[in-house]
Amino acid sequence: MKKISAILCSLILIAFCFVCPVSAATSFVTFAEDFQTLSFEDNTYIACNLSELIYDESEEISKQYVILSDTQKENVKSVSITANADYSILYANIAYRNGSTLNVDFLRNDCYEKLDSIRQNTTHCEIDFSYSGVDVISFTKSSLSGEYTTVTEDELYWCDFYEVTSSCEYEFDLFYGYMLFCDDSYYFVDAETVLQLCDSSWDFYPADYDSLYACKISDEELIEQLDTAMYDSYSSLTITDMLDEATTKKLSNGFLIVAFGILPLAVMIASFIIAMRAKSAYKKLFSAIGITCAAELTVFVILLLILV
Amino acid sequence: MLGKLLKYDLKSMLKYWWITAISSLVLSAAGGASLAYIINSEDYPSALIFPMVLLVFLAFLGMFGFIILSTIFIFTRFYKNFFTDEGYLTFTLPVSRFALLNSKLISSVLVTTLTVFVFFVELIVFIIIPVASTNAWHSALPELSSLLSELNLTVGPYIYVFVVEALIAVLLSNVYSTLLFFFCITFAAMISKKAKVIIAIGIYYLANSITSTFSQLLFSTGLENIADRVMLLSDASAFPVVALIVLGILLFMAIVCLALYALEYWMLDRKLNLN
């Protein structure tokens, strides 16, 4: 009896292990037998790449998220799904094992409503500083308020920018916009503005714009949080990272002049002096070094005249 | 006389080189076939997957092992011929030290170039077999050709200048790394009698880290500044300026190579004591 119950328990456990992923997987994309219809689970939001589908036009849902019946699996080699520019249509490309392919378009009209409802229900946003050695900072959505103002070209060129997201109960982060870290102010550019400016949120780069209309953060608590995060982020940087851009530029320009100008000049003079005094092999060798230095210096001077 | 020296240097370096080249080429083909099998494994029994993965691993090992072995063949010849008992005979030959050094340099650069060529052939074989087994092959070729024609349209005739400059850069970096190895071995032979090889390796790593730090400093922010300036130029004048910048860098590399050559020659000529 004990053995039978042990076997039963094991069977239940094994079945549970198999059923769990299967039931989880069924919340993804399911195809009809003839591939002419595509269904999503209605009651819950899809945990896979919903947000990426909305914000990344070239996003491909990998085939593991696509549920195929056994008959389909026998015939189909791979399925890839892409979205159009406004993400209302999904394009499925079905590659069969016999080499033929089938392209099917699916109209998808529920994306925006679902995302909007998620947006409305979340109360907190966050900025992930983890790659610069600082943790994620979290703040209320209402603190992203303030006076709308124009960010100048100079500020946009030198600013740092971080993604503002909100983690919801599902397995993806919603993109809210970008926080611009300028010299003495923080500006928030919302997702709508970002997506009007560029095709995808990943393409946004502040230095590309002459000016930008953005919300200047006035919430004291959020400013304090951002100040601390920036301070911690800077303290984790190396000495060269901490130098401001102008100093780095001057240093590297000086370094270029020393390496490509002064050093070859010194080598050229020394080589010609040695070549004059030396005999046979050394004479040829040092003359060659001197001539190469002279050629390099000529190119360097021409470049200086063109570029400076 | 240089011809004769070259003949014997190449003969010595290639004595076992061709065996390793063929072995690694065969391994890379087998590895590519295994990779193709793994990619299409849905269609085949899974029992063979593990040996196939092992074969792919062996192919990698073979390809990189081939490069390491080639380097060992080249520098063993230099070390043995100059700094062991054989060195007494080498330096009594009726040839100048110039010819001796030139022969070693030319043969080493030739064998390194051959090694890199074989390595690329292996890499292509390793990649082509699995790609040919999938449909990706059909879409990859037109994409590659459209990429090349787009590049040709954008850059224009300067593409040939850049190709020539790139080839010279590869040759100069090859000469530089060979001379750096020669310098390390000679310097180690000058300062030590017993642990020449270990000291040579130590000096090589030290010299390499110094030069890589130097080039990082030079090429990270420095070239970024130059790029900022080039961006301000019109399309018509940007390409000749870029070609001129690359020429400057090539000449700089040539100076470094010549200086290393002069140093190496001076050490062989004046500082070598085989006693």
Side-chain angles (χ1 to χ4, degrees):
Chain A
M1 191 64 193
K2 273 184 181 176
K3 276 185 180 175
I4 292 169
S5 53
I7 290 166
L8 272 175
C9 284
S10 313
L11 281 175
I12 291 165
L13 203 68
I14 292 164
F16 185 74
C17 291
F18 276 103
V19 166
C20 267
V22 170
S23 60
T26 49
S27 52
F28 300 122
V29 188
T30 316
F31 284 94
E33 208 63 30
D34 58 357
F35 289 106
Q36 297 305 314
T37 52
L38 171 82
S39 60
F40 292 83
E41 195 167 276
D42 289 334
N43 300 329
T44 55
Y45 298 112
I46 297 150
C48 68
N49 296 320
L50 187 62
S51 66
E52 286 163 345
L53 249 179
I54 299 304
Y55 290 114
D56 190 350
E57 60 179 319
S58 62
E59 174 63 30
E60 271 197 12
I61 302 177
S62 86
K63 61 181 173 181
Q64 63 177 314
Y65 295 123
V66 179
I67 304 302
L68 301 175
S69 70
D70 287 339
T71 328
Q72 287 167 344
K73 276 180 192 165
E74 274 173 26
N75 302 319
V76 174
K77 196 173 181 184
S78 67
V79 177
S80 66
I81 300 178
T82 48
N84 67 339
D86 64 3
Y87 308 101
S88 54
I89 303 171
L90 298 178
Y91 302 101
N93 175 271
I94 300 141
Y96 289 87
R97 288 191 194 281
N98 64 10
S100 61
T101 53
L102 173 69
N103 294 308
V104 196
D105 303 347
F106 300 95
L107 183 67
R108 187 164 179 208
N109 51 13
D110 59 338
C111 290
Y112 291 106
E113 291 99 51
K114 282 182 178 181
L115 269 181
D116 283 344
S117 70
I118 298 170
R119 266 179 212 279
Q120 281 159 16
N121 292 334
T122 49
T123 52
H124 279 74
C125 289
E126 53 194 37
I127 299 176
D128 186 358
F129 289 96
S130 51
Y131 77 87
S132 58
V134 185
D135 288 336
V136 174
I137 64 160
S138 179
F139 45 87
T140 58
K141 215 164 69 177
S142 57
S143 60
L144 286 171
S145 57
E147 189 192 344
Y148 268 80
T149 178
T150 307
V151 190
T152 63
E153 187 181 5
D154 197 47
E155 280 180 307
L156 288 169
Y157 188 80
W158 296 113
C159 73
D160 276 340
F161 59 107
Y162 287 85
E163 213 175 41
V164 179
T165 56
S166 87
S167 57
C168 50
E169 58 194 287
Y170 311 103
E171 290 174 25
F172 58 89
D173 290 335
L174 267 180
F175 171 69
Y176 265 91
Y178 277 106
M179 184 70 78
L180 310 182
F181 291 71
C182 297
D183 270 350
D184 49 3
S185 317
Y186 301 103
Y187 298 97
F188 174 67
V189 188
D190 59 63
E192 207 175 310
T193 314
V194 170
L195 293 172
Q196 274 170 4
L197 292 167
C198 37
D199 293 338
S200 153
S201 64
W202 303 107
D203 296 335
F204 180 74
Y205 188 62
D208 290 343
Y209 306 102
D210 296 337
S211 65
L212 212 62
Y213 201 54
C215 170
K216 188 175 180 178
I217 301 295
S218 56
D219 185 279
E220 291 297 327
E221 206 178 317
L222 177 57
I223 290 174
E224 199 178 319
Q225 262 185 302
L226 294 171
D227 281 342
T228 317
M230 284 315 282
Y231 176 78
D232 293 347
S233 158
Y234 277 127
S235 60
S236 67
L237 298 175
T238 59
I239 294 169
T240 47
D241 290 329
M242 285 174 80
L243 290 172
D244 65 278
E245 297 272 349
T247 319
T248 317
K249 214 169 185 178
K250 273 181 196 167
L251 269 177
S252 61
N253 279 342
F255 197 64
L256 279 177
I257 290 167
V258 170
F260 288 101
I262 297 170
L263 201 67
L265 184 69
V267 174
M268 184 184 77
I269 295 166
S271 305
F272 281 135
I273 291 170
I274 296 170
M276 275 191 290
R277 291 181 177 184
K279 288 172 189 169
S280 61
Y282 287 103
K283 199 178 184 76
K284 282 182 197 166
L285 207 51
F286 282 98
S287 302
I289 295 175
I291 291 164
T292 319
C293 285
E296 198 272 342
L297 278 170
T298 315
V299 173
F300 180 73
V301 171
I302 295 169
L303 282 173
L304 266 186
L305 291 174
I306 295 171
L307 297 174
V308 181
Chain B
M1 221 35 202
L2 180 70
K4 272 198 176 151
L5 287 171
L6 262 176
K7 182 185 155 189
Y8 286 105
D9 278 336
L10 283 171
K11 213 172 170 181
S12 163
M13 285 174 193
L14 297 175
K15 195 175 175 184
Y16 299 109
W17 179 90
W18 69 271
I19 301 173
T20 52
I22 291 172
S23 314
S24 59
L25 201 60
V26 170
L27 266 178
S28 73
S34 308
L35 197 62
Y37 179 87
I38 293 165
I39 290 170
N40 301 310
S41 58
E42 294 165 24
D43 307 337
Y44 303 106
S46 58
L48 283 169
I49 291 287
F50 178 70
M52 294 294 151
V53 172
L54 202 68
L55 214 54
V56 172
F57 175 71
L58 274 177
F60 267 108
L61 210 67
M63 284 194 278
F64 290 100
F66 167 61
I67 289 185
I68 294 166
L69 280 174
S70 299
T71 316
I72 291 172
F73 293 148
I74 292 167
F75 298 108
T76 308
R77 169 69 182 169
F78 179 78
Y79 172 72
K80 273 193 169 179
N81 203 225
F82 279 180
F83 303 107
T84 57
D85 293 346
E86 207 181 308
Y88 289 103
L89 296 173
T90 308
F91 288 109
T92 51
L93 287 173
V95 284
S96 66
R97 296 206 171 181
F98 241 144
L100 284 173
L101 182 58
N102 284 345
S103 156
K104 291 284 177 294
L105 183 63
I106 295 167
S107 54
S108 301
V109 169
L110 268 176
V111 175
T112 312
T113 312
L114 267 176
T115 305
V116 172
F117 176 74
V118 172
F119 177 76
F120 275 110
V121 171
E122 285 167 1
L123 213 59
I124 289 167
V125 167
F126 185 77
I127 293 165
I128 276 183
I129 296 175
V131 170
S133 73
T134 63
N135 286 336
W137 182 242
H138 303 292
S139 59
L141 270 182
E143 267 180 41
L144 189 72
S145 92
S146 69
L147 188 79
L148 284 175
S149 54
E150 198 181 325
L151 195 73
N152 202 15
L153 270 175
T154 323
V155 186
Y158 276 96
I159 197 158
Y160 301 107
V161 178
F162 292 134
V163 168
V164 171
E165 284 184 331
L167 287 175
I168 296 171
V170 170
L171 182 74
L172 280 174
S173 63
N174 191 350
V175 172
Y176 165 75
S177 53
T178 308
L179 281 168
L180 188 65
F181 261 116
F182 286 180
F183 166 77
C184 295
I185 294 168
T186 315
F187 192 70
M190 261 168 55
I191 59 170
S192 167
K193 293 286 163 226
K194 286 182 181 171
K196 290 176 200 168
V197 177
I198 292 169
I199 291 174
I201 292 169
I203 296 168
Y204 179 77
Y205 274 103
L206 184 73
N208 226 5
S209 38
I210 291 169
T211 43
S212 64
T213 313
F214 177 77
S215 51
Q216 264 177 21
L217 276 170
L218 201 65
F219 290 106
S220 55
T221 47
L223 279 191
E224 207 175 289
N225 284 354
I226 297 174
D228 284 348
R229 299 244 176 217
V230 173
M231 297 284 256
L232 298 173
L233 301 170
S234 67
D235 276 357
S237 53
F239 289 122
V241 171
V242 172
L244 205 62
I245 291 169
V246 179
L247 179 69
I249 295 168
L250 290 179
L251 284 166
F252 184 80
M253 285 168 79
I255 297 170
V256 175
C257 288
L258 278 168
L260 256 180
Y261 183 93
L263 187 65
E264 174 64 26
Y265 177 75
W266 175 73
M267 288 198 301
L268 283 178
D269 191 35
R270 301 282 166 91
K271 292 286 168 187
L272 200 62
N273 182 8
L274 291 169
N275 292 323

